[in-house]
């Protein structure tokens, strides 16, 4: 049996590996997002299945970026039907249906979270965004993409402008180490990579005199007032804020 200390050390090393392996990509991602803020544009975030947990992490949370437009379709969420969500992610054409409602443009950035990066929805979403002139940041796992059965003409990694590689093992599980079958890490690492990007955005903004629109907790003094200004600024452009 692995001790709690050993397990924590293993997870910490996985996070450190993700940070080390993506240092340049994190900087480039932050530069893209800073450009979005300068242009008063939006960062679109998307995923399917449990990758939607990462989308929730990007949207309307204390300390999070306010100019985020979550790309969402209810049939992609396992809570609305687990087996159906898997079938929906594999359905070609859904991405274009979603983009037809609201698509990122040349001043925007699309961030797509997908560990396996092979199902039609995330792949076609990235391709559709690039076709419309938007840059695409993929948060995916090269190792997982290499092992996953291909279900689209390309992969998310191939369609992306920048790739943040989570280094998640094929199948996502991490324990036991010699034959992993539980303790998936993609949610933890996706959130970690996103927050590394946000930290870099704040540092770049401070160095360049750009104010970064960040949500505050509504449970601290002044939080509601600060957030009210952001809701007024982005509420009309981001329907999910209403």
């Amino acid at each position: 049996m692995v001790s709690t200390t050993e397990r924590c050390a293993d997870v910490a090393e996985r996070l450190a590996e993700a940070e080390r392996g993506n240092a340049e990509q994190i900087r480039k991602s932050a530069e893209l997002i800073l450009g979005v803020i300068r242009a008063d544009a939006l960062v679109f975030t998307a995923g399917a299945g449990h990758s939607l947990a990462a989308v929730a992490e990007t949207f309307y949370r204390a300390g999070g970026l306010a100019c985020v437009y979550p790309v969402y379709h209810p049939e992609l969420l396992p809570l609305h039907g687990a087996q159906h969500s898997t079938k929906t992610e594999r359905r070609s054409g859904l991405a274009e249906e979603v983009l037809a409602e609201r698509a990122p443009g040349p001043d925007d950035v699309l961030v797509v979270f997908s560990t396996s990066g092979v199902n039609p929805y995330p792949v076609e979403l990235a391709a559709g965004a690039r076709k419309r002139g938007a840059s695409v940041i993929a948060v995916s796992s090269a190792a997982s993409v290499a092992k996953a059965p291909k279900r689209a003409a390309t992969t998310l990694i191939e369609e992306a402008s920048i790739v943040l590689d989570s280094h998640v093992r094929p199948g996502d599980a991490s324990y036991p180490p010699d034959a992993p079958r539980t303790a998936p890490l993609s949610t933890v690492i996706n959130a970690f990579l996103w927050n590394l990007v946000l930290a870099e955005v704040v540092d770049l903004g401070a160095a360049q005199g750009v104010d970064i629109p960040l949500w505050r907790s509504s449970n601290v003094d002044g939080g509601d007032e600060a957030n009210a200004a952001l809701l007024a600024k982005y509420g009309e452009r981001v329907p999910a804020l209403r």
Side-chain angles (χ1 to χ4, degrees):
M1 179 181 294
V2 176
S3 70
T4 302
T5 300
E6 290 173 317
R7 183 68 190 135
C8 287
D10 179 61
V11 174
E13 175 53 32
R14 297 300 181 88
L15 295 175
E17 178 188 30
E19 182 173 13
R20 288 192 303 267
N22 289 286
E24 182 64 14
Q25 291 86 346
I26 288 167
R27 183 187 62 78
K28 289 180 178 179
S29 297
E31 288 175 346
L32 276 181
I33 291 173
L34 190 64
V36 168
I37 295 167
R38 286 183 181 277
D40 191 23
L42 296 172
V43 177
F44 289 68
T45 60
H50 283 91
S51 290
L52 282 166
V55 176
E57 177 69 18
T58 70
F59 180 66
Y60 192 58
R61 62 152 300 137
L65 194 63
C67 55
V68 167
Y69 187 111
V71 180
Y72 176 69
H73 190 288
E75 292 183 46
L76 292 164
L77 183 65
L79 292 174
H80 295 163
Q83 295 178 63
H84 184 67
S85 71
T86 297
K87 293 176 182 176
T88 301
E89 185 179 5
R90 295 177 180 178
R91 174 156 57 89
S92 182
L94 177 61
E96 274 303 315
E97 293 176 25
V98 171
L99 290 172
E101 295 180 10
R102 179 70 163 86
D107 290 331
D108 303 311
V109 168
L110 171 66
V111 182
V112 183
F113 297 90
S114 176
T115 298
S116 63
V118 296
N119 285 321
Y121 177 72
V123 174
E124 293 175 6
L125 202 64
R130 287 187 62 194
K131 188 191 310 180
R132 292 165 170 84
S135 296
V136 176
I137 299 170
V139 185
S140 189
S141 164
S144 295
V145 172
K147 292 291 186 180
K150 303 303 182 286
R151 298 189 177 93
T154 58
T155 66
L156 176 58
I157 285 176
E158 291 175 277
E159 295 294 345
S161 313
I162 298 172
V163 177
L164 297 176
D165 189 349
S166 65
H167 299 281
V168 167
R169 293 174 176 174
D172 205 350
S174 68
Y175 186 82
D178 56 343
R181 57 185 184 276
T182 191
L185 290 180
S186 62
T187 301
V188 174
I189 297 176
N190 286 347
F192 181 63
L193 286 170
W194 174 248
N195 284 297
L196 287 175
V197 171
L198 289 188
E200 185 72 12
V201 169
V202 168
D203 286 347
L204 287 175
Q208 298 178 29
V210 180
D211 185 41
I212 308 303
L214 298 171
W215 298 109
R216 293 182 61 185
S217 170
S218 59
N219 297 310
V220 299
D221 289 340
D224 285 342
E225 293 77 10
N227 291 341
L230 295 174
L231 287 168
K233 181 178 177 64
Y234 296 109
E236 288 302 312
R237 286 183 280 168
V238 182
L241 288 174
R242 300 171 196 165

